[in-house]
Amino acid sequence: MDYLLQLAASPTAWIALATLVVMEIVLGIDNLIFISILTNKLPEQHRVKARRVGIGMALILRLGLLSTIAFIVQLTEPVVEILGQAFSWKDMILIAGGLFLLWKATTEIHHSMDPAPNDPKSASSGVTLGFAAAIGQILMLDLVFSIDSIITAVGMTEHLPIMIIAVVVSVLVMLLAAEPLAKFINDNPTVVMLALGFLIMIGMTLIAEGFGAHVPKGYIYAAMAFSAAIEVLNMLSRRAREKAMVENN
């Protein structure tokens, strides 16, 4: 109790908490984009449940990993060396997650460009299987992003209560933002392609970091913000043209 009171009275602890909350929210954007795109592929009645389950599992994974900080720190220790390049468990998990994101985003882009004809025979039987597959894929990416998130938290502060509060706050923000983001992506088809491009960029970044090349996150998020701003301008331009056409007719 005294330890918590000392933390609450420490300005340094509050600064660390605010910084870590912002970092965790930013790191959660990748996870949220993936969940939004994937759950939008489900039948509408299952989407909200899948998003809540996916984000809930992200919280459970993060809190579970925080309870094993000593083990998490060991994940950064080299365990295998290939052609002079040492790899830790963290590196291999990041590479696997990056490859999965590349595969998933490329598959979704291909499907958007050349959609397969609907098969009415499989429409009714695919709901449960689709939901289970979506949850499985979300769980896999939750694990990758959770490990990255917790290792970042461990590197920024040594106080477990600060880490727990930052993780819980970031996941609550994800939960609040999930529905508006998913609806926005679903209502704007061109945004889906942009978001899939983001996932490819994030996948390449994870692979690069797995091979030891540090990619400053600021560059990645700056590129995403710039691309999103351009897409907003395109959307405003399209709406202006549509409004002008309606008025002219």
Side-chain angles (χ1 to χ4, degrees):
M1 188 65 181
D2 292 339
Y3 170 64
L4 294 177
L5 291 175
Q6 289 176 359
L7 275 182
S10 171
T12 304
W14 284 101
I15 293 173
L17 175 60
T19 304
L20 189 54
V21 165
V22 172
M23 284 293 298
E24 292 293 325
I25 291 174
V26 170
L27 289 173
I29 292 173
D30 309 343
N31 207 169
L32 191 55
I33 290 174
F34 179 80
I35 290 174
S36 298
I37 291 177
L38 197 59
T39 53
N40 278 345
K41 306 290 289 184
L42 293 172
E44 191 168 353
Q45 66 268 26
H46 295 287
R47 294 176 185 175
V48 173
K49 180 180 178 182
R51 288 181 201 117
R52 291 176 179 172
V53 170
I55 295 173
M57 289 190 304
L59 176 60
I60 292 171
L61 278 172
R62 282 163 168 77
L63 294 179
L65 291 171
L66 278 175
S67 67
T68 58
I69 288 180
F71 171 72
I72 293 300
V73 172
Q74 290 177 1
L75 289 179
T76 60
E77 298 294 328
V79 293
V80 66
E81 185 172 325
I82 301 175
L83 299 177
Q85 174 73 45
F87 294 94
S88 65
W89 282 112
K90 177 196 172 186
D91 295 331
M92 290 185 281
I93 290 171
L94 289 179
I95 292 171
L99 290 172
F100 175 76
L101 272 183
L102 289 180
W103 169 77
K104 186 63 182 175
T106 303
T107 301
E108 291 297 327
I109 289 174
H110 176 73
H111 178 73
S112 297
M113 299 296 292
D114 185 23
N118 293 326
D119 184 3
K121 294 181 181 179
S122 62
S124 60
S125 61
V127 173
T128 304
L129 200 62
F131 183 85
I135 294 300
Q137 293 178 38
I138 290 172
L139 180 59
M140 178 179 176
L141 262 295
D142 275 348
L143 177 61
V144 175
F145 289 128
S146 293
I147 289 175
D148 194 26
S149 169
I150 297 307
I151 289 177
T152 299
V154 171
M156 291 187 65
T157 181
E158 60 183 11
H159 302 296
L160 185 60
I162 291 178
M163 297 182 204
I164 292 174
I165 293 173
V167 165
V168 171
V169 169
S170 66
V171 173
L172 288 176
V173 170
M174 286 174 61
L175 190 60
L176 292 173
E179 295 304 316
L181 178 62
K183 186 178 185 303
F184 179 75
I185 289 176
N186 191 54
D187 292 344
N188 297 275
T190 57
V191 175
V192 175
M193 196 64 70
L194 181 64
L196 290 172
F198 288 163
L199 291 183
I200 289 178
M201 182 167 60
I202 294 165
M204 291 298 297
T205 302
L206 291 176
I207 293 171
E209 291 187 349
F211 279 96
H214 176 64
V215 181
K217 290 291 195 302
Y219 293 147
I220 302 300
Y221 294 119
M224 291 171 64
F226 178 77
S227 300
I230 297 298
E231 179 60 25
V232 168
L233 292 177
N234 285 330
M235 291 169 59
L236 293 175
S237 176
R238 285 195 299 270
R239 289 179 182 177
R241 288 196 302 270
E242 291 171 359
K243 182 178 179 181
M245 290 177 62
V246 170
E247 291 176 350
N248 291 335
N249 293 333

